[in-house]
């Protein structure tokens, strides 16, 4: 089985946002997959995908706070500043965290750990809507 879907995500504020349910709802073919992989590719360079804590929103807050301090917007050696002071830091963070995830599928569900969820990291102050390509490959 091969299935590919484009998932459109609305604009969100800067920070990390749990999107696991949105992904699962957008790929109903997951329920027919006995064993396989779901690959997610974010089609943007100033946002990221990561797998992390799904229960306590403080973890998402703390991750954002850490990354803002690690890669502030006022570094004097950044040259790419035409799109604003938040753009180059957003590219750096997206490269550090990545824009793709490959997740195991088992018995019609994502094989996530108890406390794991899919996050989108929005690293721009006004990033706009985002698109994901979800590619499912597996055996029914």
């Amino acid at each position: 089985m091969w299935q590919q879907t484009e998932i459109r995500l609305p604009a969100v504020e800067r920070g990390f946002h749990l999107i696991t349910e949105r992904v699962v709802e957008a790929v109903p073919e997951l329920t027919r997959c006995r064993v396989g992989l779901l690959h997610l590719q974010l089609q943007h360079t100033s946002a990221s995908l990561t797998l992390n804590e799904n229960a306590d929103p403080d973890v998402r807050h703390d991750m954002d706070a850490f990354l803002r301090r690690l890669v502030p917007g006022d570094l004097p050696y950044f040259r790419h500043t035409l799109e604003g002071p938040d753009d180059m830091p957003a590219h750096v963070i997206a490269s550090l965290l990545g824009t793709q995830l490959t997740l195991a599928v088992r018995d019609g569900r994502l094989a996530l750990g108890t406390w794991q969820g899919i996050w989108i990291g929005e690293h721009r102050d006004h990033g706009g809507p985002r698109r994901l390509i979800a590619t499912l490959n597996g055996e029914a």
Side-chain angles (χ1 to χ4, degrees):
M1 163 196 319
W2 281 95
Q3 169 68 33
Q4 192 169 76
T5 304
E6 181 175 298
I7 303 170
R8 294 183 180 268
L9 302 171
V12 293
E13 64 186 28
R14 187 170 177 175
F16 289 95
H17 307 274
L18 193 60
I19 61 167
T20 311
E21 286 183 29
R22 185 176 289 267
V23 169
V24 169
E25 289 170 2
V27 187
E29 296 82 5
L30 273 172
T31 60
R32 296 193 334 250
C33 188
R34 186 179 61 79
V35 61
L37 296 172
L38 178 66
H39 182 263
L40 301 173
Q41 178 184 335
L42 184 61
Q43 296 190 299
H44 303 274
T45 60
S46 57
S48 63
L49 290 176
T50 191
L51 189 67
N52 212 308
E53 168 76 44
N54 70 355
D56 185 354
D58 285 343
V59 177
R60 295 190 300 274
H61 170 273
D62 293 349
M63 181 73 86
D64 182 55
F66 173 79
L67 288 167
R68 284 179 192 237
R69 184 166 180 175
L70 181 67
V71 189
D74 58 354
L75 295 173
Y77 48 82
F78 281 161
R79 292 169 144 179
H80 177 73
T81 58
L82 292 175
E83 296 179 59
D86 66 333
D87 190 45
M88 191 59 219
H91 292 306
V92 172
I93 295 168
S95 287
L96 290 173
L97 295 180
T99 58
Q100 300 180 56
L101 289 175
T102 300
L103 305 166
V105 178
R106 180 188 312 140
D107 297 326
R109 302 179 68 206
L110 292 176
L112 301 178
T114 301
W115 306 113
Q116 288 183 320
I118 303 166
W119 295 5
I120 185 168
E122 176 54 69
H123 308 304
R124 299 287 316 266
D125 292 330
H126 305 286
R130 301 298 191 170
R131 291 183 327 274
L132 282 173
I133 298 295
T135 305
L136 176 63
N137 175 236
E139 295 179 11

